[in-house]
Amino acid sequence: MKDNNLNSDNDFLLEVKNLVTVFKTEGSEVTAVDDISFKIKRGETIGIVGESGSGKSVTALSIMKLIPNPPGQIASGNIFFNSPSKGILDLAKLSEKEMQFERGNEIAMIFQEPMTSLNPVYTCGNQLMETILIHKQANYEEAKKLTLELFEKVELPRPEDIFYSYPHEISGGQKQRVMIAMAMSCNPSLLIADEPTTALDVTVQAKILDLMRHLRDENDMSIMFITHDLGVVAEIADKIAVMYHGKIVEQGPVFEIFSNPQHPYTKSLLACRPRLDIKLKILPVATDFMNVDIEGKFTERVVQEQKYSSVGEAILFNFTDEDEINERNAFLATQPPQLEIKNLKMYFPIKRGIFGKPKDFVKAVDDVSFSVYPGETIGLVGESGCGKTTLGRAILRLVEPTSGSITFEGKDITHIHKEDLRKLRKDIQIIFQDPYSSLNPRMTIGEAIIEPMRVNHIYESDFHRKKHTIELLEKVNLSKRHFERYPHEFSGGQRQRVCIARALALNPKFIICDESVSALDVSVQAQVLNLLNKLKEEFNFTYIFISHDLSVVKFMSDRIIVMNKGKIEELGYAEDIYNNPTSEYTQRLISAIPKGNLDDIRRAQFIRNNNTLRK
């Protein structure tokens, strides 16, 4: 429906005015997007930032008119789109048939998880061709040619091979490039990118951001970039809108938001990101800057009771000086190792001869040796496929090593019997990456924590086990009332706390954290990292902390191991690895991390403005 009553100037591409989106449940109504307004100009990028549940994705789905009805609906407001072919339209008032033309042709969307967005039974080429055949009215040969050109444009290696590959046969970064190619197939005026780099390696993330910048500038396209990480959005956005509980609490130019944030929630998002330039004792969290009510919503009592008034203050009163770091490192080195890994190899056969004898191998872990001291956190960092998760599982004997030795507290555990191995697992626990798949959906979280205690005969009765479980829940900042709830009733951060409580149930000495915060919002991530450090101090745990994010690893670790293609690329103290990396691979990892420094933002905006003037 064309809108002739709009009094705005025509320099905008999209203008959202007083948008309200609600979801009706049994006996109640939830307002997911609460009276928000913002504008995107042609060729501009806006970053929509906030944690899970803030309303970012619902805003995007409202613009695309993809809200499932029922239970959701756009209750009020306008979504004005300045269509190059049809003039100003109010998308909120378009029929489904009218909206189908705008989707794909004029407005495209990249969804958060490419694996679930791509159809597993069709090749990548066929899925992209389908979009072209529907919207471009091309024949098969033309559609295939354009598909291969788009694969080249998004810098996919071997476009012909990718064309005939199924989604499960390519990497996460390649799947995301296929999704970008699909979104770009009809040269849209507006691209909505919903968390397009979440859970990707920092090097892959940097390449995806570069690609999106290039496509935006080349096609004079506007981008609405949704993320929970202000560091990422600083790399690509012209302006930022910060969302909290369905509302936009602050918006403005990216440099202004980073240099002078006004709202306490924005300050908390900026402060809670692990820093690379200094080592903080505790990561600041949202409640350090503002008060929240029982539902987690911001309250106005913030001025009188806030802990910090600025990001700088949060850092100034919270960093660890160099002498403290050196003193701790010297102490750790005086102790006998708790865990020793010598010449460990994990080879997986990929080709076999005529009689079944392996002829070729994937060397997932290739002759790795290191020691871990009691009370230490050693970080294991590297890109996907470098072997870090396989190494962690080999230490736990969840997979059998090909060769080498694993010694724990002076005892060789490489080939111990199953019964001894079961007893050993009381002392060495693991916290997995995905807390939802780690928990049985049909078991309450109380039962999930009690079960390992029952199996290992810890405590005499379930009465005492339940009492200990409630104590553990309180340790991880949950409560007694959560005992009878099921995993689906919790947020991602709360589920990860449950998994931490379950790992603590057996009183372990050594915990392996395998990407345990990679899928969490930065604000929730800060809470979980602080909790892990607090528990380590209280119980004197030793950690191996596995992650692809060097900034998180640096915050957590005393020493860092950088892995690449199954081998140790570099090993040293955390500060030394960051300040003086000796390996070119480590240097590349560090340079790919989105830092969000004011100098970097100023430089990016200067380049952006110059490119705009040249046009």
Side-chain angles (χ1 to χ4, degrees):
M1 177 183 291
K2 190 165 182 176
D3 196 293
N4 297 313
N5 299 316
L6 183 65
N7 294 320
S8 287
D9 52 89
N10 287 354
D11 69 336
F12 76 93
L13 181 69
L14 182 81
E15 184 172 9
V16 175
K17 297 187 79 173
N18 308 112
L19 179 67
V20 178
T21 303
V22 300
F23 288 86
K24 293 182 179 178
T25 58
E26 291 182 14
S28 66
E29 185 176 275
V30 176
T31 303
V33 175
D34 191 0
D35 194 26
I36 68 167
S37 300
F38 63 90
K39 183 189 285 191
I40 307 175
K41 294 181 180 180
R42 295 182 188 279
E44 185 177 54
T45 300
I46 185 171
I48 308 293
V49 183
E51 56 197 340
S52 296
S54 64
K56 312 184 299 294
S57 294
V58 177
T59 299
L61 293 172
S62 299
I63 292 167
M64 295 290 286
K65 290 201 74 176
L66 292 174
I67 297 291
N69 186 5
Q73 68 176 60
I74 296 173
S76 61
N78 305 99
I79 305 166
F80 294 115
F81 179 65
N82 198 347
S83 169
S85 59
K86 296 183 178 180
I88 297 172
L89 306 171
D90 188 351
L91 302 183
K93 296 175 183 176
L94 293 187
S95 67
E96 177 58 26
K97 188 174 181 180
E98 290 172 314
M99 191 63 201
Q100 280 177 1
F101 176 83
E102 302 305 321
R103 283 194 216 113
N105 277 318
E106 300 288 359
I107 308 172
M109 185 166 178
I110 304 167
F111 293 94
Q112 180 171 354
E113 179 46 66
M115 190 63 208
T116 56
S117 302
L118 293 169
N119 192 323
V121 300
Y122 289 102
T123 64
C124 296
N126 277 336
Q127 294 186 62
L128 182 47
M129 278 180 61
E130 182 184 21
T131 306
I132 296 167
L133 290 167
I134 290 171
H135 289 285
K136 290 278 191 181
Q137 296 178 340
N139 61 38
Y140 181 88
E141 291 302 322
E142 291 170 338
K144 182 177 180 182
K145 183 183 176 185
L146 185 54
T147 296
L148 292 172
E149 287 173 2
L150 283 164
F151 281 171
E152 286 180 11
K153 197 171 187 178
V154 299
E155 299 174 12
L156 275 166
R158 307 178 313 281
E160 281 277 359
D161 292 342
I162 298 289
F163 185 92
Y164 293 107
S165 297
Y166 290 89
H168 71 272
E169 296 178 303
I170 60 177
S171 70
Q174 288 173 338
K175 281 193 278 281
Q176 198 61 284
R177 288 172 188 269
V178 170
M179 289 295 297
I180 293 171
M182 200 176 293
M184 295 300 299
S185 60
C186 296
N187 296 319
S189 303
L190 175 65
L191 176 65
I192 300 173
D194 187 4
E195 301 270 13
T197 60
T198 298
L200 294 178
D201 296 330
V202 286
T203 49
V204 178
Q205 174 180 269
K207 290 173 183 174
I208 295 293
L209 291 174
D210 277 340
L211 173 62
M212 292 183 71
R213 273 192 294 262
H214 173 71
L215 293 172
R216 173 195 64 191
D217 297 341
E218 184 182 317
N219 296 280
D220 196 28
M221 178 179 65
S222 300
I223 297 177
M224 178 175 159
F225 192 97
I226 297 169
T227 182
H228 62 258
D229 189 345
L230 273 165
V232 170
V233 86
E235 302 278 309
I236 194 169
D238 299 304
K239 63 184 182 184
I240 294 173
V242 181
M243 289 194 71
Y244 180 68
H245 279 276
K247 291 182 177 292
I248 291 179
V249 295
E250 184 168 3
Q251 61 178 308
V254 61
F255 186 82
E256 188 179 301
I257 295 291
F258 272 77
S259 61
N260 189 27
Q262 297 299 305
H263 195 276
Y265 180 66
T266 311
K267 294 175 186 177
S268 73
L269 286 180
L270 286 166
C272 71
R273 295 181 300 120
R275 298 178 64 94
L276 285 166
D277 52 347
I278 58 173
K279 190 175 182 71
L280 297 176
K281 294 176 182 175
I282 300 171
L283 288 174
V285 294
T287 50
D288 291 334
F289 291 86
M290 63 186 193
N291 289 289
V292 294
D293 62 21
I294 195 166
E295 295 179 354
K297 293 184 179 179
F298 169 72
T299 64
E300 295 297 336
R301 295 180 295 110
V302 66
V303 177
Q304 294 81 9
E305 300 178 30
Q306 65 188 9
K307 186 175 179 181
Y308 303 122
S309 60
S310 69
V311 177
E313 191 177 288
I315 294 163
L316 181 64
F317 298 125
N318 202 19
F319 73 93
T320 307
D321 64 43
E322 194 174 331
D323 289 341
E324 289 179 272
I325 295 169
N326 292 337
E327 188 178 329
R328 174 165 172 78
N329 290 340
F331 168 73
L332 289 170
T334 61
Q335 301 181 91
Q338 187 174 23
L339 178 76
E340 288 184 279
I341 308 296
K342 289 185 178 177
N343 308 113
L344 193 68
K345 295 180 181 179
M346 275 296 311
Y347 291 178
F348 296 99
I350 53 173
K351 283 185 182 178
R352 295 183 181 272
I354 193 166
F355 297 110
K357 186 176 180 181
K359 292 179 66 178
D360 198 7
F361 299 89
V362 170
K363 298 179 180 180
V365 178
D366 192 9
D367 199 23
V368 165
S369 300
F370 64 93
S371 299
V372 187
Y373 300 103
E376 181 180 32
T377 297
I378 194 158
L380 203 53
V381 69
E383 296 173 289
S384 296
C386 71
K388 54 189 188 298
T389 293
T390 304
L391 176 57
R393 289 170 183 254
I395 291 168
L396 279 162
R397 293 280 311 280
L398 295 175
V399 291
E400 291 300 320
T402 305
S403 65
S405 66
I406 306 164
T407 305
F408 181 71
E409 294 188 337
K411 181 179 180 180
D412 189 338
I413 64 170
T414 320
H415 304 292
I416 59 174
H417 296 297
K418 284 186 178 179
E419 184 59 30
D420 293 328
L421 187 59
R422 188 178 66 79
K423 292 176 182 176
L424 174 74
R425 291 202 176 125
K426 289 186 348 186
D427 293 329
I428 307 178
Q429 284 288 297
I430 186 168
I431 302 167
F432 292 102
Q433 177 175 357
D434 183 358
Y436 195 72
S437 61
S438 304
L439 296 167
N440 188 330
R442 293 178 294 180
M443 189 180 284
T444 65
I445 62 122
E447 272 299 309
I449 297 170
I450 284 175
E451 184 185 38
M453 288 192 276
R454 193 181 290 137
V455 169
N456 288 278
H457 309 294
I458 294 174
Y459 295 107
E460 296 176 356
S461 66
D462 278 355
F463 172 81
H464 291 97
R465 292 180 190 120
K466 182 176 180 179
K467 184 180 177 184
H468 184 56
T469 296
I470 291 168
E471 289 171 0
L472 289 172
L473 289 173
E474 289 170 350
K475 287 274 184 199
V476 298
N477 299 328
L478 295 173
S479 68
K480 180 180 180 178
R481 71 177 188 274
H482 294 122
F483 185 92
E484 298 293 342
R485 294 187 186 177
Y486 289 87
H488 71 271
E489 298 179 84
F490 293 88
S491 69
Q494 288 174 322
R495 283 196 289 266
Q496 198 60 283
R497 291 171 187 273
V498 172
C499 291
I500 293 169
R502 186 177 59 179
L504 298 179
L506 301 181
N507 301 315
K509 300 175 183 177
F510 198 107
I511 297 178
I512 296 173
C513 303
D514 185 8
E515 298 275 14
S516 53
V517 296
S518 65
L520 301 179
D521 295 330
V522 286
S523 52
V524 179
Q525 174 183 277
Q527 295 169 21
V528 173
L529 293 176
N530 287 339
L531 172 64
L532 288 169
N533 276 338
K534 179 186 173 186
L535 293 169
K536 172 187 167 182
E537 195 173 303
E538 185 175 344
F539 295 101
N540 197 34
F541 292 138
T542 306
Y543 287 140
I544 287 182
F545 194 90
I546 300 170
S547 179
H548 63 261
D549 188 339
L550 190 56
S551 58
V552 169
V553 169
K554 181 177 178 289
F555 169 72
M556 289 294 293
S557 305
D558 300 296
R559 288 186 299 150
I560 292 174
I561 295 172
V562 181
M563 285 191 73
N564 183 25
K565 296 178 181 176
K567 291 183 176 290
I568 291 179
E569 189 82 25
E570 192 163 353
L571 191 161
Y573 292 116
E575 300 301 313
D576 294 340
I577 290 281
Y578 174 69
N579 293 324
N580 300 295
T582 58
S583 160
E584 187 180 326
Y585 176 75
T586 309
Q587 292 168 11
R588 196 164 73 248
L589 279 183
I590 292 170
S591 65
I593 298 169
K595 300 172 181 66
N597 295 332
L598 292 178
D599 287 342
D600 292 341
I601 295 169
R602 190 185 284 112
R603 190 181 305 111
Q605 293 299 303
F606 178 76
I607 294 168
R608 178 98 167 90
N609 292 335
N610 277 356
N611 289 341
T612 304
L613 287 172
R614 286 194 196 102
K615 290 178 182 178

